[in-house]
Amino acid sequence: MNTLESVKRRGITLFTLGALSLEPTGAFAHAFGERYDLPVPMSWVILAACCVMVLTVLFAVFWPSKVRTQQALEGLSNVGESAPKHPSNISPFTRACGWAGMLLLVLCFLCANLGTQDPLMNFAPTFIWIIWWLGTSFGVVVFGNFWPCINPWLA
């Protein structure tokens, strides 16, 4: 074994031992209040989630797409399609949507750090879990992929 592999292995071992020697503490990252029991058995929820995942993969693989078929025929990839445009080519509406997304991101950070610690009264958990995850998912289905418009990291 050469010395580089020996040093890597020794470093990984020391890191693992150090991490295991730390005292565990309680984590309250996803605690939203009192315990809530689902109205259906957990096995049904897990089965439904597995079925959704399998159907999603099957649809993604077997659903015909003109773009995918055309790219396969031409041998092109879609790597560069999502690259950000030059700022001079962005419409005012897209720029305003990007600024709105950035302001919502800042508002969430401020509410999460400076707001009340009661998750039912704080804007950040409500926005992230309900408006963002659910609303954006349904919004993309209804209006199309508007994420590049409101992406705060590109604004």
Side-chain angles (χ1 to χ4, degrees):
M1 184 176 348
N2 65 21
T3 58
L4 183 60
E5 288 180 24
S6 169
V7 170
K8 283 183 182 179
R9 187 172 300 222
R10 191 173 302 140
I12 291 172
T13 304
L14 288 174
F15 176 78
T16 304
L17 288 175
L20 290 175
S21 67
L22 296 175
E23 180 181 350
T25 59
F28 302 106
H30 293 90
F32 282 110
E34 68 268 0
R35 180 186 164 112
Y36 175 75
D37 290 324
L38 296 173
V40 295
M42 183 57 114
S43 60
W44 291 10
V45 175
I46 293 171
L47 178 66
C50 291
C51 289
V52 166
M53 293 302 297
V54 167
L55 288 174
T56 301
V57 169
L58 289 176
F59 276 123
V61 170
F62 294 113
W63 193 268
S65 168
K66 292 179 183 178
V67 173
R68 189 173 49 207
T69 306
Q70 183 180 3
Q71 287 177 350
L73 292 175
E74 294 175 2
L76 300 175
S77 66
N78 60 357
V79 174
E81 288 182 12
S82 63
K85 296 179 180 178
H86 190 272
S88 63
N89 297 338
I90 297 176
S91 71
F93 177 74
T94 305
R95 191 178 305 267
C97 289
W99 278 98
M102 188 167 32
L103 289 175
L104 280 172
L105 178 67
V106 170
L107 179 66
C108 279
F109 279 137
L110 290 175
C111 288
N113 291 317
L114 303 176
T116 177
Q117 293 301 306
D118 181 12
L120 299 175
M121 301 302 291
N122 195 331
F123 173 74
T126 303
F127 178 79
I128 291 169
W129 292 109
I130 298 171
I131 298 170
W132 179 251
W133 287 112
L134 291 176
T136 304
S137 300
F138 288 120
V140 165
V141 169
V142 173
F143 301 112
N145 185 15
F146 56 84
W147 170 245
C149 258
I150 62 170
N151 185 353
W153 307 114
L154 293 179

